[in-house]
Amino acid sequence: MAVVELKVGMHCDKCIKSIKKAIKKIEDIETYRLDTQMNKVTVTGNVTTEEVVKVLHKIGKTATPWSED
């Protein structure tokens, strides 16, 4: 089981809905969480960072690996 944490711009309800819809289509995800305050997306399951980034790029979102700094 992997935990993928990404920084993704979420500025409006439309963005948030399209991100949720895109993530739900990924196979083998267990859970996902969107933190709109921090612009952070957390996905857990049998997924890779690349898979999640690719799905978000398809809907026009820039996603980068989360770093604590």
Side-chain angles (χ1 to χ4, degrees), residues 45-65:
N46 188 18
V47 293
T48 64
T49 300
E50 292 77 24
E51 282 179 286
V52 182
V53 168
K54 195 163 79 174
V55 163
L56 294 172
H57 276 246
K58 278 185 185 173
I59 62 165
K61 286 286 165 196
T62 302
T64 55

mmCIF file of all heavy atoms in Angstrom, residues 45-65:
data_model
loop_
_atom_site.group_PDB
_atom_site.id
_atom_site.type_symbol
_atom_site.label_atom_id
_atom_site.label_comp_id
_atom_site.label_asym_id
_atom_site.label_seq_id
_atom_site.Cartn_x
_atom_site.Cartn_y
_atom_site.Cartn_z
ATOM 1 N N GLY A 45 -3.339 3.606 -1.527
ATOM 2 C CA GLY A 45 -3.750 2.421 -2.270
ATOM 3 C C GLY A 45 -2.592 1.869 -3.064
ATOM 4 O O GLY A 45 -1.436 2.213 -2.841
ATOM 5 N N ASN A 46 -2.920 1.027 -4.013
ATOM 6 C CA ASN A 46 -1.909 0.416 -4.875
ATOM 7 C C ASN A 46 -1.678 1.332 -6.075
ATOM 8 O O ASN A 46 -2.039 1.005 -7.198
ATOM 9 C CB ASN A 46 -2.381 -0.976 -5.297
ATOM 10 C CG ASN A 46 -1.295 -1.743 -6.021
ATOM 11 O OD1 ASN A 46 -0.125 -1.405 -5.937
ATOM 12 N ND2 ASN A 46 -1.693 -2.756 -6.752
ATOM 13 N N VAL A 47 -1.122 2.516 -5.809
ATOM 14 C CA VAL A 47 -0.918 3.533 -6.848
ATOM 15 C C VAL A 47 0.491 4.106 -6.735
ATOM 16 O O VAL A 47 1.122 4.025 -5.696
ATOM 17 C CB VAL A 47 -1.931 4.700 -6.729
ATOM 18 C CG1 VAL A 47 -3.331 4.243 -7.036
ATOM 19 C CG2 VAL A 47 -1.865 5.364 -5.370
ATOM 20 N N THR A 48 0.939 4.712 -7.829
ATOM 21 C CA THR A 48 2.232 5.390 -7.815
ATOM 22 C C THR A 48 2.002 6.892 -7.936
ATOM 23 O O THR A 48 0.949 7.332 -8.413
ATOM 24 C CB THR A 48 3.133 4.934 -8.979
ATOM 25 O OG1 THR A 48 2.508 5.321 -10.206
ATOM 26 C CG2 THR A 48 3.357 3.429 -8.963
ATOM 27 N N THR A 49 2.996 7.644 -7.547
ATOM 28 C CA THR A 49 2.925 9.102 -7.686
ATOM 29 C C THR A 49 2.686 9.469 -9.148
ATOM 30 O O THR A 49 1.870 10.328 -9.454
ATOM 31 C CB THR A 49 4.242 9.740 -7.179
ATOM 32 O OG1 THR A 49 4.418 9.384 -5.811
ATOM 33 C CG2 THR A 49 4.221 11.246 -7.316
ATOM 34 N N GLU A 50 3.390 8.773 -10.052
ATOM 35 C CA GLU A 50 3.275 9.067 -11.485
ATOM 36 C C GLU A 50 1.843 8.880 -11.984
ATOM 37 O O GLU A 50 1.358 9.666 -12.790
ATOM 38 C CB GLU A 50 4.229 8.181 -12.302
ATOM 39 C CG GLU A 50 5.698 8.483 -12.083
ATOM 40 C CD GLU A 50 6.251 7.925 -10.763
ATOM 41 O OE1 GLU A 50 5.685 6.949 -10.215
ATOM 42 O OE2 GLU A 50 7.244 8.491 -10.275
ATOM 43 N N GLU A 51 1.176 7.818 -11.521
ATOM 44 C CA GLU A 51 -0.206 7.567 -11.944
ATOM 45 C C GLU A 51 -1.120 8.718 -11.560
ATOM 46 O O GLU A 51 -1.919 9.187 -12.370
ATOM 47 C CB GLU A 51 -0.758 6.297 -11.274
ATOM 48 C CG GLU A 51 -0.303 5.000 -11.888
ATOM 49 C CD GLU A 51 -0.895 3.822 -11.128
ATOM 50 O OE1 GLU A 51 -0.432 3.553 -9.999
ATOM 51 O OE2 GLU A 51 -1.823 3.188 -11.675
ATOM 52 N N VAL A 52 -1.003 9.172 -10.317
ATOM 53 C CA VAL A 52 -1.870 10.238 -9.834
ATOM 54 C C VAL A 52 -1.554 11.550 -10.549
ATOM 55 O O VAL A 52 -2.455 12.265 -10.983
ATOM 56 C CB VAL A 52 -1.757 10.398 -8.297
ATOM 57 C CG1 VAL A 52 -2.702 11.482 -7.800
ATOM 58 C CG2 VAL A 52 -2.056 9.076 -7.584
ATOM 59 N N VAL A 53 -0.268 11.855 -10.724
ATOM 60 C CA VAL A 53 0.135 13.077 -11.427
ATOM 61 C C VAL A 53 -0.417 13.066 -12.856
ATOM 62 O O VAL A 53 -0.950 14.070 -13.331
ATOM 63 C CB VAL A 53 1.681 13.241 -11.430
ATOM 64 C CG1 VAL A 53 2.109 14.332 -12.389
ATOM 65 C CG2 VAL A 53 2.183 13.535 -10.027
ATOM 66 N N LYS A 54 -0.319 11.923 -13.531
ATOM 67 C CA LYS A 54 -0.785 11.809 -14.916
ATOM 68 C C LYS A 54 -2.289 12.073 -15.031
ATOM 69 O O LYS A 54 -2.740 12.808 -15.913
ATOM 70 C CB LYS A 54 -0.441 10.425 -15.475
ATOM 71 C CG LYS A 54 -0.554 10.331 -16.985
ATOM 72 C CD LYS A 54 0.157 9.127 -17.531
ATOM 73 C CE LYS A 54 -0.669 7.874 -17.345
ATOM 74 N NZ LYS A 54 -0.088 6.694 -17.994
ATOM 75 N N VAL A 55 -3.054 11.515 -14.108
ATOM 76 C CA VAL A 55 -4.504 11.713 -14.106
ATOM 77 C C VAL A 55 -4.840 13.190 -13.899
ATOM 78 O O VAL A 55 -5.715 13.742 -14.558
ATOM 79 C CB VAL A 55 -5.162 10.831 -13.007
ATOM 80 C CG1 VAL A 55 -6.568 11.285 -12.696
ATOM 81 C CG2 VAL A 55 -5.160 9.377 -13.431
ATOM 82 N N LEU A 56 -4.121 13.851 -12.990
ATOM 83 C CA LEU A 56 -4.386 15.261 -12.724
ATOM 84 C C LEU A 56 -3.941 16.145 -13.885
ATOM 85 O O LEU A 56 -4.587 17.145 -14.189
ATOM 86 C CB LEU A 56 -3.728 15.684 -11.408
ATOM 87 C CG LEU A 56 -4.323 15.007 -10.165
ATOM 88 C CD1 LEU A 56 -3.502 15.329 -8.932
ATOM 89 C CD2 LEU A 56 -5.767 15.406 -9.961
ATOM 90 N N HIS A 57 -2.859 15.767 -14.556
ATOM 91 C CA HIS A 57 -2.407 16.525 -15.731
ATOM 92 C C HIS A 57 -3.451 16.462 -16.838
ATOM 93 O O HIS A 57 -3.641 17.441 -17.556
ATOM 94 C CB HIS A 57 -1.063 15.999 -16.236
ATOM 95 C CG HIS A 57 0.102 16.571 -15.508
ATOM 96 N ND1 HIS A 57 1.031 17.397 -16.096
ATOM 97 C CD2 HIS A 57 0.505 16.449 -14.213
ATOM 98 C CE1 HIS A 57 1.933 17.758 -15.202
ATOM 99 N NE2 HIS A 57 1.635 17.180 -14.047
ATOM 100 N N LYS A 58 -4.116 15.316 -16.966
ATOM 101 C CA LYS A 58 -5.150 15.151 -18.010
ATOM 102 C C LYS A 58 -6.282 16.146 -17.847
ATOM 103 O O LYS A 58 -6.906 16.541 -18.826
ATOM 104 C CB LYS A 58 -5.728 13.734 -17.981
ATOM 105 C CG LYS A 58 -4.892 12.713 -18.695
ATOM 106 C CD LYS A 58 -5.606 11.370 -18.730
ATOM 107 C CE LYS A 58 -4.732 10.303 -19.343
ATOM 108 N NZ LYS A 58 -5.360 8.968 -19.239
ATOM 109 N N ILE A 59 -6.573 16.549 -16.609
ATOM 110 C CA ILE A 59 -7.652 17.526 -16.387
ATOM 111 C C ILE A 59 -7.100 18.947 -16.278
ATOM 112 O O ILE A 59 -7.795 19.861 -15.868
ATOM 113 C CB ILE A 59 -8.515 17.169 -15.153
ATOM 114 C CG1 ILE A 59 -7.688 17.168 -13.859
ATOM 115 C CG2 ILE A 59 -9.238 15.845 -15.358
ATOM 116 C CD1 ILE A 59 -8.500 17.171 -12.587
ATOM 117 N N GLY A 60 -5.827 19.113 -16.620
ATOM 118 C CA GLY A 60 -5.248 20.451 -16.666
ATOM 119 C C GLY A 60 -4.675 20.951 -15.356
ATOM 120 O O GLY A 60 -4.418 22.144 -15.202
ATOM 121 N N LYS A 61 -4.474 20.051 -14.403
ATOM 122 C CA LYS A 61 -3.915 20.444 -13.104
ATOM 123 C C LYS A 61 -2.429 20.142 -13.041
ATOM 124 O O LYS A 61 -1.978 19.105 -13.506
ATOM 125 C CB LYS A 61 -4.620 19.687 -11.971
ATOM 126 C CG LYS A 61 -6.002 20.179 -11.702
ATOM 127 C CD LYS A 61 -5.892 21.493 -10.998
ATOM 128 C CE LYS A 61 -7.150 22.282 -10.964
ATOM 129 N NZ LYS A 61 -6.910 23.662 -10.615
ATOM 130 N N THR A 62 -1.674 21.042 -12.440
ATOM 131 C CA THR A 62 -0.265 20.802 -12.197
ATOM 132 C C THR A 62 -0.141 20.179 -10.822
ATOM 133 O O THR A 62 -0.635 20.731 -9.843
ATOM 134 C CB THR A 62 0.522 22.132 -12.239
ATOM 135 O OG1 THR A 62 0.306 22.740 -13.506
ATOM 136 C CG2 THR A 62 2.002 21.889 -12.033
ATOM 137 N N ALA A 63 0.483 19.016 -10.765
ATOM 138 C CA ALA A 63 0.675 18.324 -9.491
ATOM 139 C C ALA A 63 2.157 18.037 -9.295
ATOM 140 O O ALA A 63 2.820 17.565 -10.212
ATOM 141 C CB ALA A 63 -0.115 17.021 -9.496
ATOM 142 N N THR A 64 2.636 18.370 -8.116
ATOM 143 C CA THR A 64 4.040 18.101 -7.797
ATOM 144 C C THR A 64 4.108 17.342 -6.478
ATOM 145 O O THR A 64 3.230 17.514 -5.621
ATOM 146 C CB THR A 64 4.843 19.421 -7.673
ATOM 147 O OG1 THR A 64 4.206 20.262 -6.719
ATOM 148 C CG2 THR A 64 4.941 20.138 -9.004
ATOM 149 N N PRO A 65 5.126 16.520 -6.314
ATOM 150 C CA PRO A 65 5.273 15.781 -5.052
ATOM 151 C C PRO A 65 5.296 16.733 -3.866
ATOM 152 O O PRO A 65 5.889 17.806 -3.935
ATOM 153 C CB PRO A 65 6.601 15.042 -5.206
ATOM 154 C CG PRO A 65 6.778 14.898 -6.685
ATOM 155 C CD PRO A 65 6.177 16.158 -7.281
#
